[in-house]
Amino acid sequence: MKDDVKVEDLNRQQAEAELERLASLIAAANQAYHAEDAPEISDAEYDALKRRNAAIEARFPELIRADSPSAQIGARPSEGFAKVTHAQRMLSLGNAFEVEDVTDFDTGIRKYLGLGPDAPLRYTAEPKIDGLSLSLRYENGELVQAATRGDGSVGENVTANARTIDDIPQRLSGAPEVLEVRGEVYMSHADFAALNARQADSGDKTFANPRNAAAGSLRQLDPSVTRGRPLKFFAYSWGELSEPLGKTQLEAIERLKSLGFSTNPLTRLCDGPQEMLAHYADIEEQRATLGYDIDGVVYKVDDLALQARLGFRSTTPRWAIAHKFPAELAWTRLEAIDIQVGRTGALSPVARLQPVTVGGVVVSNATLHNEDYIAGRSASGEEIRGGKDIRVGDWVQIYRAGDVIPKVADVDLSKRPPEAQPYAFPTRCPECGSEAVREAGDAVRRCTGGLICPAQAVEKLKHFVSRPAFDIDGLGAKQVEQFHADGWIAEPADIFTLQERLGSGLRQLKNREGWGEKSANNLFAAIDERRRIPLGRLIFALGIRHVGEQVSNLLARHYGTWEAFETAVREAEPLEGPAWDELISIDGVGKVLATSLVTTFAQANERASIDRLVGYLYVQPVAAPKTEGSPVAGKTVVFTGTLEKMTRAEAKARAEALGAKVAGSVSAKTDILVAGPGAGSKAKKAAELGIQTLDEDGWLALIAGT
DNA sequence: GCGCCTCGAGCTCT
DNA sequence: CTCGAGGCGC
């Protein structure tokens, strides 16, 4: 590679030519890498090209090419498994813990469907296998893909490994053209014990429990290792289908069985909550002798037509629920209570425990939630519901909520040491000494130090580099903590000047354990790649209270560009003025959230920090929706009442894709009101204002053909 | 006031 | 991955 002109010295014309040259070089390198599996240039050279490209784009955002290499994700595969987008999302289930939750589930469904308490309604009940879920895609009877659940939308491609599992047929006869079978991969107790014995013999590490063993085995990069692991599979559901598997859940499961899948033999049809609970008790009784781990019972509405009517909430189906077995409990001693300070200044107490095994995992920390959870009484003296008066030195009972998060369930007062004192929750921040205050009605006490507090600063930085925010490769929580302690990074903007400031200091970095020339250069390359950042990610990365991932994207979609967003938030004064009104008019933005935004941007030091940061970035605007031929482009639409043919989220997404703005309330600016049944005050107001009002069908007709 | 959703914070192991 | 707290919309 020839010695290049420094990016800072390029003029516009040179930059344009250089971007073109880099685009073709990188494309050629990708081609060689993929086609021949024999790259012509080294990884370091390749990274340098991409880095240079990103740096030039950051300086001349207007010159970014349509075929920009930085827009292409993963030209070279990262290590590990390829990502797979599920044709249909893999959802999780709502949970029931008590008998009452199960009867509520039944009542809720009846209400939703408009069925009386005595109308027949059948459910299936089956054990909930404690493994990991897997989606198998068959096309014309051939297994073409196996994917893990991942976050529900995007999982990992583990096809090669899935092919080694005996319970998973490679080929089906008489199957629908497209068939996605979903089920659980697990390991039996006997196989788990044998595997661990083998692992111990060969000096390899043993697994804590069958679930971890199954997960570890399926995620082997080398399928021949997976082949040697005794994995099994139960089918219990499906995703995309080219034709239905049956009219009921049970029929569909039977069909899967006849196609050659293992299905759980304890699947039963139940006539209502009484029978469901009876089957639950039955399964719980057999739990120890089943030979594999289960963690509850799943109930599903049997009639598939009813399932379709019930549909989904954002992450769970309305027609199914998981009835969990009581969590495993363990007693241990509480050795200390530490206070952690979060990104928003929240003081959270954490129990330090004498290590104890709970549900196959050694637990030494547990959350204590907040002040009231520890105290038996509040400062003013009244009893606090749920307050346990937990003291250092106490014997406490631990369980893992949802089999994950360790919590303190109970205290054994009979074993309390006589000298144990009630815990005094600090009123000053343990990290910076600032006052820690609790707003009226708030459960959380917060450090008021803001950016002065080192703990808050570090947590904010960690948030900034986290996955859904800037997601900088090689700059995780650990590194940020290091760099912060070293004084190299005090605020987000510092990340983007790290390379130039470090200059000769690079030697210091390289001397640090784990850092060599290559990793340092990789880090700088990764940082440069993120100088170009989508608006929503940037807003989220700022870490403003109440402004999470969803809200950030909502704001990004509404304002479109950083400039528009920033101007609006800066101009808005709490509770008044047109900028405030616009902010509040966004569906999903209320007073609390808007105040949090506006006051953050009104703070001089916060603003300065944000301005510095944005100076190093090219913020990608949200792609303008296709408005050509859209009858609703630029119009403000409000949805009210019950929508029957689409969910509110769908309606909104669709309208926005057509260039409309969706607002939450009717005002003089509203152009169209779409009113479903049950519309109330909004319809009235729209009528008063003479605003065009459509029913759902009218709306669909209006946007038909777009 | 209620249902649904989002945020923020917690833990362990890979 | 799950929970409690709390926000938003009806």
Side-chain angles (χ1 to χ4, degrees):
Chain A
M1 200 166 40
K2 73 172 190 209
D3 224 347
D4 299 302
V5 186
K6 274 193 175 173
V7 172
E8 299 87 77
D9 299 335
L10 288 172
N11 66 29
R12 210 188 127 91
Q13 208 181 352
Q14 290 168 320
E16 194 167 9
E18 185 67 358
L19 284 176
E20 190 183 343
R21 183 180 76 98
L22 288 167
S24 63
L25 274 176
I26 293 169
N30 285 340
Q31 175 86 23
Y33 187 88
H34 285 291
E36 292 131 47
D37 212 21
E40 290 177 350
I41 61 174
S42 71
D43 282 356
E45 285 168 321
Y46 178 84
D47 288 343
L49 289 178
K50 287 205 76 161
R51 207 166 98 208
R52 185 169 166 81
N53 184 71
I56 298 174
E57 287 183 347
R59 249 196 89 202
F60 299 99
E62 71 280 10
L63 295 182
I64 293 173
R65 303 165 55 84
D67 65 347
S68 164
S70 54
Q72 292 151 24
I73 317 149
R76 291 202 177 190
S78 57
E79 277 179 41
F81 298 96
K83 298 275 181 261
V84 173
T85 303
H86 297 297
Q88 271 179 35
R89 277 172 55 84
M90 290 181 82
L91 297 145
S92 50
L93 295 178
N95 289 324
F97 297 98
E98 316 280 337
V99 167
E100 202 191 340
D101 298 336
V102 178
T103 50
D104 284 353
F105 169 67
D106 175 61
T107 332
I109 286 176
R110 286 173 184 277
K111 196 173 149 198
Y112 195 96
L113 293 173
L115 294 177
D118 300 321
L121 181 57
R122 299 207 287 190
Y123 298 89
T124 60
E126 70 201 276
K128 185 172 191 304
I129 315 300
D130 193 10
L132 61 154
S133 39
L134 191 69
S135 183
L136 306 169
R137 187 178 173 90
Y138 293 84
E139 288 174 7
N140 301 313
E142 295 280 340
L143 175 62
V144 293
Q145 188 172 73
T148 61
R149 201 180 92 87
D151 66 0
S153 303
V154 179
E156 288 181 321
N157 187 339
V158 292
T159 313
N161 291 340
R163 288 191 198 281
T164 69
I165 300 174
D166 290 342
D167 281 349
I168 295 179
Q170 304 267 351
R171 179 165 302 186
L172 308 173
S173 58
E177 212 175 305
V178 175
L179 168 63
E180 278 185 10
V181 177
R182 288 171 180 180
E184 200 86 353
V185 174
Y186 67 101
M187 196 178 284
S188 74
H189 291 154
D191 288 338
F192 168 70
L195 172 65
N196 259 358
R198 262 186 289 146
Q199 293 284 108
D201 280 349
S202 59
D204 290 325
K205 70 164 177 42
T206 56
F207 294 98
N209 53 52
R211 196 216 335 217
N212 285 358
S217 301
L218 190 69
R219 298 192 73 263
Q220 289 293 326
L221 288 172
D222 178 359
S224 67
V225 177
T226 307
R227 186 177 297 279
R229 301 282 174 80
L231 294 173
K232 292 187 167 159
F233 181 82
F234 276 130
Y236 56 67
S237 178
W238 54 90
E240 193 182 350
L241 293 176
S242 54
E243 59 187 77
L245 292 171
K247 281 193 165 63
T248 66
Q249 179 76 28
L250 205 63
E251 268 179 41
I253 296 299
E254 284 301 321
R255 180 79 199 285
L256 290 176
K257 194 174 169 185
S258 70
L259 284 170
F261 291 94
S262 295
T263 57
N264 194 285
L266 293 174
T267 309
R268 291 272 185 286
L269 202 53
C270 300
D271 245 328
Q274 293 309 316
E275 289 188 14
M276 285 146 75
L277 292 166
H279 193 46
Y280 174 90
D282 197 22
I283 290 175
E284 192 175 20
E285 203 169 305
Q286 298 181 51
R287 187 177 181 185
T289 55
L290 287 177
Y292 49 85
D293 279 347
I294 61 174
D295 57 355
V297 176
V298 176
Y299 308 124
K300 293 174 184 162
V301 170
D302 188 45
D303 186 327
L304 297 183
L306 294 182
Q307 285 190 7
R309 273 178 63 195
L310 286 157
F312 303 88
R313 278 182 286 254
S314 71
T315 59
T316 58
R318 275 195 198 84
W319 41 264
I321 198 166
H323 188 180
K324 298 292 196 77
F325 293 134
E328 197 184 315
L329 298 162
W331 287 95
T332 189
R333 222 176 73 94
L334 174 60
E335 296 184 324
I337 296 176
D338 284 353
I339 300 289
Q340 294 186 356
V341 182
R343 151 170 80 85
T344 61
L347 267 47
S348 347
V350 177
R352 305 296 176 198
L353 307 165
Q354 210 170 75
V356 61
T357 304
V358 196
V361 171
V362 179
V363 169
S364 42
N365 304 304
T367 173
L368 288 168
H369 292 288
N370 56 46
E371 199 165 348
D372 290 351
Y373 193 83
I374 302 175
R377 303 173 172 282
S378 71
S380 50
E382 71 261 37
E383 290 258 349
I384 291 169
R385 222 166 55 89
K388 296 179 192 331
D389 184 18
I390 299 166
R391 304 186 182 188
V392 174
D394 272 339
W395 280 87
V396 289
Q397 191 179 41
I398 306 296
Y399 72 104
R400 294 172 72 217
D403 276 334
V404 182
I405 309 294
K407 295 196 170 192
V408 175
D410 207 358
V411 177
D412 188 344
L413 294 177
S414 71
K415 287 193 181 163
R416 169 166 292 171
E419 71 279 9
Q421 293 297 312
Y423 179 71
F425 201 92
T427 54
R428 307 203 81 90
C429 172
E431 301 286 338
C432 72
S434 301
E435 205 180 341
V437 299
R438 205 171 146 182
E439 307 276 325
D442 229 358
V444 177
R445 189 176 284 277
R446 292 196 146 83
C447 160
T448 53
L451 290 176
I452 295 163
C453 177
Q456 282 190 53
V458 172
E459 293 304 316
K460 275 199 124 168
L461 283 167
K462 285 189 196 166
H463 171 80
F464 184 86
V465 300
S466 69
R467 251 279 268 259
F470 269 68
D471 189 22
I472 297 173
D473 250 5
L475 194 62
K478 264 210 170 133
Q479 290 78 359
V480 163
E481 223 160 83
Q482 261 293 330
F483 291 172
H484 182 79
D486 291 340
W488 290 353
I489 296 179
E491 58 171 65
D494 296 338
I495 293 171
F496 295 94
T497 59
L498 191 61
Q499 184 172 16
E500 62 187 65
R501 280 185 299 120
L502 227 46
S504 57
L506 191 61
R507 217 175 306 121
Q508 291 172 42
L509 179 61
K510 281 193 293 190
N511 289 338
R512 168 98 21 88
E513 196 166 338
W515 287 100
E517 175 98 35
K518 191 169 161 128
S519 52
N521 282 331
N522 282 346
L523 173 62
F524 297 141
I527 290 172
D528 279 340
E529 295 231 3
R530 288 292 183 269
R531 286 179 195 270
R532 201 179 131 88
I533 190 85
L535 177 58
R537 277 185 182 250
L538 172 62
I539 298 174
F540 174 65
L542 299 177
I544 296 163
R545 183 133 95 97
H546 303 304
V547 183
E549 210 179 342
Q550 308 297 322
V551 172
S552 298
N553 284 322
L554 184 69
L555 293 166
R557 263 181 276 131
H558 183 88
Y559 288 104
T561 65
W562 169 257
E563 288 71 25
F565 167 72
E566 196 246 20
T567 311
V569 175
R570 205 178 17 165
E571 280 177 4
E573 309 219 359
L575 309 178
E576 55 185 317
W580 171 268
D581 290 343
E582 185 182 352
L583 196 54
I584 284 289
S585 79
I586 303 171
D587 193 9
V589 176
K591 258 193 208 163
V592 174
L593 201 162
T595 306
S596 173
L597 261 175
V598 171
T599 52
T600 302
F601 273 76
Q603 283 169 35
N605 55 356
E606 290 273 9
R607 271 210 57 80
S609 161
I610 294 170
D611 286 345
R612 269 198 296 277
L613 167 67
V614 174
Y616 296 113
L617 303 175
Y618 167 66
V619 185
Q620 293 173 271
V622 175
K626 257 208 155 154
T627 53
E628 224 168 287
S630 161
V632 295
K635 303 250 172 110
T636 299
V637 183
V638 174
F639 292 97
T640 187
T642 316
L643 301 178
E644 287 166 327
K645 302 203 167 133
M646 48 194 172
T647 66
R648 203 153 266 267
E650 277 165 11
K652 205 173 147 180
R654 186 80 203 281
E656 282 171 348
L658 292 169
K661 291 205 159 159
V662 178
S665 56
V666 173
S667 71
K669 279 205 234 159
T670 310
D671 297 302
I672 303 171
L673 180 79
V674 182
S681 62
K682 286 187 189 176
K684 218 174 126 192
K685 189 164 175 195
E688 281 165 18
L689 291 168
I691 289 164
Q692 182 186 8
T693 302
L694 299 172
D695 62 11
E696 202 177 346
D697 288 327
W699 164 257
L700 290 172
L702 176 66
I703 62 171
T706 53

